[in-house]
Amino acid sequence: MELKGQIVEFIYKNDSNSYTIAEFEKEDGSSLTIVGYLPFIEEGDTLKVVGKMVTHQEYGEQFKIDTFEKLMPENSKALEKYLASGTIRGIGPATAKKIIDKFGEDAIHIFKFEPLRLAEVKGISKDKAYEIGEEFNEKWELWQIVGFLEKFGVSSNNSKKVYDALGKDAVEKIENNPYILVDIVYGVDFNKIDKIALQLGVPKDNDDRIKSGIKFALLTSSYNGNLCVKQENLEAFLAQNLEVSSDEIENNLINLKVQEEIIIEEREDESKWVYLYPMYKVEKNISDRLIALNNSRNIKYIKSFEKDLDAQEKILGIKLSDKQIEAINQINDNNVSIITGGPGTGKTTIIKVLLEIYKSHGRKVVLCAPTGRAAKRMSEATGEDAKTVHRLLEIGKIEDDKIHNVDVNVTPIDGDVIVVDEMSMVDSFLMNYIVKAIYLGSKLVLVGDSNQLPSVGPGAVLQDLIQSEKFATVSLNKIFRQAAKSKIIVNSHNVNQGINFIGNVSKAEDSLDDFFYINEQMQEKMVYQVLSLSNGRLKNYGNYDFFKNIQVLTPTKKGILGTKELNNSLQNELNPKSPEKLEKQHGQILFREGDRVMQIKNNYDIYWEKGSSVDFKTYENGTGIFNRRTWKDYKNKYARKKYGSRI
């Protein structure tokens, strides 16, 4: 569906990504609400929008924009509205009326081709006329970039980023070298850009093409967790995909190395590994900073540590194992320490004892973890405040495009001892932020299970640090009796040791019935088992409620056992459709009030309110949206300005 009209009023506009909700007046004089990404657009602009009508559960019909095109105002009335909006500096409603009264339908021509004639209007000097004309035409060139970038697969919400990087000559620069988009827009499709470039006549052996292909291959590899790639494997991949010779690839590898866009590292076994420069910088900074931290004077050393340790055992009523005592002592003896072990091996107990000892000496211990859930567990186990790493370092606004955020400023950590739990989930970029924030002389304690899967982001930091043997490390291997009651914990260790987990997995007399293996060959039967277990069957074994403490994990997205279909089945089973429940369609997903939802990207700064401001019992407000809220908490009340609702 295609509409033409004018932006009358913004209801909401996100300055960072240009997501916009606006009142739109169509050519026939009627108006409607439009929603979508509209960079470089101001009130009064004339647009051609392409999209479809959708129905919002709370605000009714809206026009959802897929693409748009900025149009020249087609008559003097439309131009006056545009100018009166204040989008051109120095022109307000009064001056806009004077210009239209003076030039009428010729006003657009005057702005574009004879801007100095604007000085004929009372109150506009020649210098001001020149500035107004320049700004008018600059904005017009700016708007053209949106449509131009669409053919390269760059969405309108990323077009502002391209313009900010390339300036007003963006279109010309991209026409000369389309591959520069790969460096600017995170996740852009190199293959699509490459196809268009080849159609435009760019030869396959073009150096810009090969260099861009090299960088894109390295970046793609980072999505799979790799900081670097073996050079011979990289060359073989590129030769096949770019259809160029090895000599051409090697020449461009050398050029990129000279330009410091990549690093080629030759190792002791004479193998060569290729890094994108930011990836290498991150890894080297972690290494250099940790070594400097570890070699610093141990100014937080406590002389009475052994006596304090004995005292804490009595106070807490526990008996530490030899390995736990070794781990705690190594923290006192070293500035950087690693404690690793599977579930139930006493890592949390070590943190708690450590915390109490340093607190008794007036030292500040800072607890953090890479996820909100892990930080919450630390708080519950120790009784002390624990934060996510991002919140601790105040880096909540960093985009997914981490490679361009290597040198981001972080808030220094005010603490004598910094404990990072669940280290297996920390990738190289996050570790880089951590080590940048720690003062030399502070102690860093890294705690985690080295047998867990590595982080989602590039790098396997915990495993690499342990394997380097450069830092004091204690591996805990004893499962404590309380933990040994859990068949889940026992089985997790058995899996690591290659032991079959079927059968009598726990010899403890008071072992928990918390592990069951159900063998089903048919997918339909397995779906039935999942729904049955989630909808009350597990209550026979404990106080298990789906909306509080049951989670379903599946290794696939597709099929009836994939995340999409399972979520639909669970929703229909546990939170069925009801006239009393609000719903919102987002793409192919239907959200229903009462659903359990996962907030996949934290926003630490957004302000929210819910309930009635006149009823203090139901009213809540706060800052930040994190994981583990219900859909009810996320009802989008964006139209404060137009409808009196809350954002």
Side-chain angles (χ1 to χ4, degrees):
M1 182 187 247
E2 180 180 300
L3 301 175
K4 286 184 181 180
Q6 197 167 30
I7 300 287
V8 176
E9 181 185 16
F10 287 136
I11 299 170
Y12 169 78
K13 187 167 186 177
N14 185 317
D15 292 333
S16 62
N17 64 10
S18 300
Y19 182 78
T20 302
I21 303 166
E23 184 180 349
F24 187 72
E25 184 179 297
K26 297 187 289 184
E27 291 177 304
D28 62 6
S30 63
S31 63
L32 77 166
T33 302
I34 60 173
V35 296
Y37 294 97
L38 296 174
F40 320 125
I41 296 302
E42 305 291 344
E43 288 183 358
D45 284 352
T46 301
L47 306 180
K48 179 174 73 175
V49 293
V50 178
K52 60 185 177 183
M53 294 300 301
V54 297
T55 302
H56 189 280
Q57 184 72 25
E58 192 167 350
Y59 302 113
E61 283 197 331
Q62 300 172 334
F63 187 85
K64 184 177 180 182
I65 300 169
D66 294 326
T67 62
F68 77 95
E69 180 183 347
K70 171 81 182 213
L71 299 176
M72 191 77 77
E74 295 179 351
N75 52 57
S76 58
K77 182 182 177 183
L79 180 60
E80 184 178 348
K81 277 187 180 180
Y82 168 68
L83 296 174
S85 68
T87 188
I88 303 294
R89 283 172 297 177
I91 300 180
T95 305
K97 187 176 186 308
K98 289 179 184 179
I99 292 172
I100 298 303
D101 288 345
K102 174 71 176 175
F103 298 111
E105 298 296 333
D106 293 330
I108 293 173
H109 174 85
I110 298 297
F111 272 100
K112 287 189 68 66
F113 302 109
E114 299 179 84
L116 290 178
R117 286 193 59 192
L118 293 170
E120 297 175 19
V121 176
K122 188 177 180 180
I124 300 179
S125 65
K126 283 191 175 181
D127 288 343
K128 192 65 179 176
Y130 177 81
E131 290 174 5
I132 290 171
E134 190 176 52
E135 184 176 352
F136 183 92
N137 286 291
E138 185 178 303
K139 285 181 179 292
W140 218 266
E141 291 172 3
L142 186 70
W143 299 320
Q144 294 175 357
I145 196 172
V146 178
F148 174 77
L149 288 173
E150 277 184 1
K151 65 182 181 181
F152 292 99
V154 178
S155 60
S156 57
N157 55 312
N158 276 319
S159 56
K160 188 174 186 301
K161 185 184 293 185
V162 174
Y163 178 81
D164 290 343
L166 300 180
K168 63 181 181 180
D169 299 325
V171 172
E172 183 181 347
K173 290 175 181 176
I174 295 166
E175 285 178 334
N176 292 334
N177 177 19
Y179 298 102
I180 58 177
L181 291 171
V182 175
D183 295 330
I184 299 171
V185 182
Y186 177 77
V188 72
D189 187 350
F190 169 82
N191 294 318
K192 186 168 186 176
I193 292 172
D194 189 41
K195 184 178 179 181
I196 294 172
L198 293 174
Q199 289 173 350
L200 293 173
V202 175
K204 288 185 177 180
D205 61 355
N206 176 276
D207 286 340
D208 288 329
R209 177 177 184 259
I210 297 172
K211 285 189 286 190
S212 183
I214 291 169
K215 290 186 286 186
F216 185 74
L218 292 171
L219 189 61
T220 302
S221 180
S222 75
Y223 301 155
N224 296 321
N226 303 308
L227 285 166
C228 58
V229 176
K230 206 169 187 179
Q231 183 172 333
E232 60 185 85
N233 295 339
L234 177 64
E235 290 182 5
F237 173 82
L238 292 168
Q240 180 180 352
N241 286 271
L242 298 183
E243 298 180 358
V244 293
S245 69
S246 296
D247 288 343
E248 289 165 331
I249 295 170
E250 287 187 18
N251 288 336
N252 280 284
L253 282 170
I254 293 169
N255 289 335
L256 287 171
K257 182 180 178 182
V258 170
Q259 295 162 5
E260 293 190 339
E261 292 192 62
I262 65 168
I263 296 290
I264 301 176
E265 182 183 67
E266 188 166 343
R267 300 186 179 173
E268 293 178 358
D269 60 359
E270 298 185 355
S271 63
K272 293 181 179 180
W273 294 79
V274 186
Y275 292 78
L276 283 169
Y277 182 73
M279 301 286 190
Y280 180 81
K281 188 176 180 180
V282 161
E283 191 166 73
K284 190 172 189 307
N285 186 55
I286 294 170
S287 173
D288 292 347
R289 188 69 181 172
L290 284 176
I291 289 171
L293 183 62
N294 202 41
N295 291 340
S296 297
R297 192 162 63 90
N298 190 357
I299 59 176
K300 308 299 181 184
Y301 181 82
I302 297 174
K303 292 181 180 179
S304 60
F305 203 79
E306 288 189 14
K307 291 182 180 178
D308 295 333
L309 190 54
D310 291 338
Q312 285 302 321
E313 282 188 298
K314 293 175 182 176
I315 293 170
L316 297 173
I318 58 174
K319 179 64 179 174
L320 297 169
S321 70
D322 292 341
K323 279 286 186 181
Q324 285 179 308
I325 293 172
E326 179 187 348
I328 297 172
N329 279 321
Q330 82 167 10
I331 294 167
N332 191 39
D333 295 335
N334 299 275
N335 286 334
V336 179
S337 303
I338 301 171
I339 301 169
T340 183
T345 55
K347 299 189 296 295
T348 302
T349 301
I350 290 174
I351 295 173
K352 190 168 184 178
V353 172
L354 177 74
L355 184 66
E356 296 301 326
I357 291 175
Y358 279 96
K359 277 173 59 181
S360 69
H361 286 268
R363 302 285 172 83
K364 183 177 180 180
V365 179
V366 176
L367 305 178
C368 64
T371 67
R373 181 172 292 183
K376 185 178 180 181
R377 282 200 303 266
M378 285 186 86
S379 294
E380 291 170 347
T382 62
E384 298 289 332
D385 182 42
K387 296 181 178 179
T388 64
V389 175
H390 284 76
R391 194 173 184 107
L392 177 66
L393 304 181
E394 298 182 7
I395 53 175
K397 291 184 178 180
I398 286 184
E399 302 173 9
D400 292 333
D401 185 6
K402 293 179 180 178
I403 195 168
H404 293 140
N405 289 294
V406 173
D407 296 317
V408 68
N409 292 323
V410 297
T411 301
I413 302 173
D414 176 22
D416 299 300
V417 183
I418 295 91
V419 181
V420 186
D421 199 9
E422 297 290 359
M423 262 300 298
S424 61
M425 291 190 279
V426 174
D427 64 27
S428 294
F429 285 93
L430 189 55
M431 189 63 184
N432 178 48
Y433 304 147
I434 293 171
V435 296
K436 283 179 66 176
I438 297 177
Y439 292 112
L440 294 181
S442 297
K443 288 182 178 290
L444 177 62
V445 183
L446 308 176
V447 183
D449 184 353
S450 61
N451 288 317
Q452 286 187 358
L453 291 172
S455 59
V456 175
V461 177
L462 181 61
Q463 292 180 16
D464 289 347
L465 290 178
I466 293 171
Q467 291 172 8
S468 74
E469 299 182 351
K470 297 289 185 182
F471 307 99
T473 302
V474 170
S475 296
L476 306 172
N477 49 28
K478 177 185 176 182
I479 306 176
F480 285 85
R481 186 176 183 279
Q482 190 65 27
K485 296 177 183 179
S486 170
K487 295 179 182 178
I488 295 174
I489 291 178
V490 173
N491 276 324
S492 67
H493 288 270
N494 286 348
V495 168
N496 285 331
Q497 297 170 35
I499 300 173
N500 194 333
F501 57 72
I502 310 289
N504 185 17
V505 296
S506 178
K507 295 181 180 179
E509 293 180 4
D510 52 352
S511 62
L512 302 173
D513 286 329
D514 62 355
F515 181 91
F516 307 93
Y517 178 77
I518 300 172
N519 188 353
E520 289 286 4
Q521 301 298 319
M522 295 182 64
Q523 294 188 56
E524 292 78 6
K525 288 186 177 181
M526 196 64 245
V527 171
Y528 168 78
Q529 295 282 9
V530 170
L531 297 179
S532 176
L533 289 164
S534 299
N535 198 19
R537 217 168 103 201
L538 282 176
K539 290 186 177 179
N540 296 326
Y541 301 91
N543 187 25
Y544 296 112
D545 177 79
F546 178 81
F547 292 94
K548 293 180 180 178
N549 44 28
I550 294 177
Q551 186 147 356
V552 180
L553 304 179
T554 180
T556 182
K557 292 182 179 179
K558 297 180 179 179
I560 64 172
L561 286 174
T563 52
K564 181 180 176 182
E565 292 300 324
L566 267 182
N567 277 329
N568 287 338
S569 300
L570 287 164
Q571 183 188 53
N572 293 332
E573 179 78 11
L574 299 159
N575 188 30
K577 187 176 182 66
S578 168
E580 290 79 28
K581 294 180 179 179
L582 297 175
E583 294 182 343
K584 177 179 175 63
Q585 188 78 35
H586 182 75
Q588 297 181 339
I589 303 173
L590 177 69
F591 290 100
R592 183 173 296 137
E593 186 177 358
D595 283 348
R596 280 182 72 186
V597 297
M598 180 179 288
Q599 177 74 15
I600 61 174
K601 188 173 183 179
N602 291 344
N603 186 325
Y604 296 89
D605 302 302
I606 192 170
Y607 175 75
W608 57 265
E609 296 179 78
K610 72 173 185 176
S612 171
S613 58
V614 298
D615 182 357
F616 293 105
K617 292 182 179 179
T618 63
Y619 178 72
E620 292 181 54
N621 66 0
T623 302
I625 292 180
F626 315 101
N627 205 346
R628 297 186 71 186
R629 293 185 185 273
T630 65
W631 166 242
K632 189 175 181 180
D633 294 331
Y634 293 100
K635 286 188 292 184
N636 181 16
K637 303 192 175 198
Y638 58 74
R640 177 198 291 268
K641 181 175 180 182
K642 187 169 180 64
Y643 301 109
S645 301
R646 296 186 178 85
I647 299 176

